[in-house]
Amino acid sequence: MDDLQKRTWAEVSLKNIRNNYKAIRSALPRGCRFLGVVKADAYGHGALPVSMMLQEAGADYLAVSCLDEAMELRQGGITMPILILGHTPPRYTQTLIENNISQTISCFAKASEYSEIASKLGKELKIHIKLDTGMSRLGFLCCKEHYEEGLKNVIEACRLPGLIHEGIYTHFAVSDEEGEENEEYTREQFKLFISFIEDLGSKGDIHFEIRHCANSGATINYPEMALDMVRPGLLLYGYGDTKGKLGLKPGMRLVTTVSTIKIYEPGTSVSYGRRYVTDKKERMGVLAIGYADGLPRISSNKCSYAVSGGFAPQRGSICMDMCMVDLSHLPQVDVGSEVEIFGEENSIYKLSEAAGTIPYEILCAVSKRVPRVYKD
Ligand SMILES: *Cc1c(COP(=O)(O)O)cnc(C)c1O
């Protein structure tokens, strides 16, 4: 562990993530299941350790985006149900079945391919039907003029042999964004989802054990949409509760160290492109983190990082493996001092906004070469 902490590392607090899980869970209606989204290596936090923690804590389901991510969990000893949210080529149907992995079905053609293979094997594949109620991404089309055809397709897909239709879900486009228009759009998506499910029941006698639609945004903003299961990702990792209802804490703290400190005369240009020039005598630290570690280069000259006693503004272009910070007003910061790029002291939103992006992208971008250090 100590060796890992010499340059740059990502401290992951499984305790914070567990507390986040408990806080989200305790706000759910009775009987509502909890699916933890652990795709993209649990948003950079480490899919296996996070999943192990969730399994032990009593979560009901996990979701990943592809078969490789699901297999990593199965091979690591995760036994709880796993749903693949994205596409799996039908030739892997047997792998899905043998590993008890549930597959999203987003159109009839794929349903029939999975069905054919499962039937030949004499086995059954668990599926969750995905409806496109307004995200315009994966899913059976079901809005307006597509409604009737959508119903017919889903009913036929669910009647295919070799498939167990355990769940049905949809995904919101703006459940995490404020404003009347966004609220209206989200409510429309929800209404369509519910009426479609009712019609599947009344017209096709097709019923589902698990109806789910709430991502983080809906889990926090529309508790009435929890249905049989919620499906948060971001909240679990400590972000997205903008009103602070649940007291969530960040799961990750990205930390680097000061490798060198130099004093520059006024008028000295710093880093590639000479995009920063000192205007006084400046005490400049070189940090052991760059864009190859996941620090967005576009945030060059726009952010500051937490050090003991304050914040150090980042100066000049961020390089591949290093970047510079002004420590003139922070004499207590020395070579070897720790610098928090984001974490509890320094909100990730500062960095994501400086980079013109969202915390999701910052978390997923923390690269492979940054060791994850688990605190508990
Ligand atoms: C990624 C994803 C989620 C989780 O989204 P958050 O905004 O992180 O809560 C839920 N459902 C689907 C289908 C997803 O792709």
Side-chain angles (χ1 to χ4, degrees), residues 28 96 102 190 213 228 240 257 308 331 371:
L28 295 179
L96 290 170
S102 317
F190 185 67
C213 62
D228 304 312
T257 45
S308 100

Side-chain angles (χ1 to χ4, degrees), residues 194-331:
I194 295 299
S195 75
F196 197 90
I197 292 172
E198 280 171 6
D199 280 344
L200 287 172
S202 61
K203 297 189 180 161
D205 200 24
I206 301 287
H207 305 274
F208 299 89
E209 186 187 335
I210 314 178
R211 303 158 302 155
H212 50 112
C213 62
N215 56 357
S216 290
T219 302
I220 199 87
N221 296 324
Y222 304 92
E224 66 278 19
M225 299 182 187
L227 298 176
D228 304 312
M229 181 162 80
V230 293
R231 215 173 58 225
L234 196 70
L235 283 181
L236 199 48
Y237 307 107
Y239 315 97
D241 178 16
T242 43
K243 297 194 182 96
K245 287 187 210 165
L246 297 175
L248 307 179
K249 286 198 179 150
M252 188 189 288
R253 185 171 169 256
L254 183 60
V255 190
T256 187
T257 45
V258 178
S259 27
T260 302
I261 296 179
K262 284 155 60 201
I263 313 281
Y264 297 118
E265 292 303 317
T268 307
S269 66
V270 175
S271 194
Y272 289 119
R274 307 181 65 202
R275 291 191 184 89
Y276 179 78
V277 180
T278 57
D279 56 6
K280 53 181 188 331
K281 206 169 181 144
E282 280 177 34
R283 183 169 176 264
M284 199 70 75
V286 180
L287 304 185
I289 187 168
Y291 59 77
D293 300 289
L295 195 60
R297 186 174 177 276
I298 198 159
S299 67
S300 296
N301 268 319
K302 288 184 188 162
C303 235
S304 49
Y305 309 133
V307 291
S308 100
F311 289 87
Q314 192 275 315
R315 302 297 195 204
S317 297
I318 292 168
C319 311
M320 187 181 288
D321 313 306
M322 295 173 236
C323 68
M324 277 58 90
V325 288
D326 185 357
L327 298 171
S328 305
H329 58 301
L330 298 155

Side-chain angles (χ1 to χ4, degrees), residues 105-374:
I105 300 290
S106 52
C107 66
F108 181 79
K110 275 188 212 162
S112 96
E113 285 185 73
Y114 293 119
S115 159
E116 195 176 318
I117 299 171
S119 305
K120 271 195 197 133
L121 295 165
K123 298 200 167 133
E124 289 183 303
L125 172 68
K126 263 192 222 156
I127 60 163
H128 285 225
I129 296 288
K130 181 162 195 191
L131 301 183
D132 180 359
T133 57
M135 174 72 177
S136 307
R137 200 174 65 177
L138 278 188
F140 287 82
L141 271 172
C142 61
C143 25
K144 299 184 187 110
E145 67 276 17
H146 302 287
Y147 194 88
E148 291 305 322
E149 199 197 344
L151 268 181
K152 182 174 142 280
N153 285 338
V154 173
I155 290 169
E156 280 178 16
C158 291
R159 284 181 179 159
L160 289 169
L163 303 180
I164 306 174
H165 52 279
E166 176 190 52
I168 185 163
Y169 73 103
T170 193
H171 196 47
F172 292 122
V174 286
S175 62
D176 59 340
E177 296 192 36
E178 288 192 5
E180 234 171 83
E181 206 174 301
N182 294 324
E183 187 179 330
E184 201 177 302
Y185 197 83
T186 304
R187 293 200 186 283
E188 279 303 314
Q189 280 196 264
F190 185 67
K191 215 169 89 188
L192 178 56
F193 184 53
I194 295 299
S195 75
F196 197 90
I197 292 172
E198 280 171 6
D199 280 344
L200 287 172
S202 61
K203 297 189 180 161
D205 200 24
I206 301 287
H207 305 274
F208 299 89
E209 186 187 335
I210 314 178
R211 303 158 302 155
H212 50 112
C213 62
N215 56 357
S216 290
T219 302
I220 199 87
N221 296 324
Y222 304 92
E224 66 278 19
M225 299 182 187
L227 298 176
D228 304 312
M229 181 162 80
V230 293
R231 215 173 58 225
L234 196 70
L235 283 181
L236 199 48
Y237 307 107
Y239 315 97
D241 178 16
T242 43
K243 297 194 182 96
K245 287 187 210 165
L246 297 175
L248 307 179
K249 286 198 179 150
M252 188 189 288
R253 185 171 169 256
L254 183 60
V255 190
T256 187
T257 45
V258 178
S259 27
T260 302
I261 296 179
K262 284 155 60 201
I263 313 281
Y264 297 118
E265 292 303 317
T268 307
S269 66
V270 175
S271 194
Y272 289 119
R274 307 181 65 202
R275 291 191 184 89
Y276 179 78
V277 180
T278 57
D279 56 6
K280 53 181 188 331
K281 206 169 181 144
E282 280 177 34
R283 183 169 176 264
M284 199 70 75
V286 180
L287 304 185
I289 187 168
Y291 59 77
D293 300 289
L295 195 60
R297 186 174 177 276
I298 198 159
S299 67
S300 296
N301 268 319
K302 288 184 188 162
C303 235
S304 49
Y305 309 133
V307 291
S308 100
F311 289 87
Q314 192 275 315
R315 302 297 195 204
S317 297
I318 292 168
C319 311
M320 187 181 288
D321 313 306
M322 295 173 236
C323 68
M324 277 58 90
V325 288
D326 185 357
L327 298 171
S328 305
H329 58 301
L330 298 155
Q332 68 281 15
V333 178
D334 211 339
V335 170
S337 294
E338 286 189 12
V339 179
E340 183 183 289
I341 304 295
F342 63 78
E344 280 189 47
E345 297 286 315
N346 202 20
S347 164
I348 197 170
Y349 285 92
K350 277 170 58 183
L351 183 58
S352 64
E353 278 159 26
T357 184
I358 49 178
Y360 299 76
E361 192 180 348
I362 301 290
L363 291 170
C364 293
V366 174
S367 74
K368 201 170 71 176
R369 93 169 168 200
V370 177
R372 270 61 171 178
V373 178
Y374 294 90

Side-chain angles (χ1 to χ4, degrees), residues 67 87-96 113-114 117:
L67 183 58
H87 171 63
T88 306
R91 65 177 180 279
Y92 293 106
T93 303
Q94 187 166 4
T95 311
L96 290 170
E113 285 185 73
Y114 293 119
I117 299 171

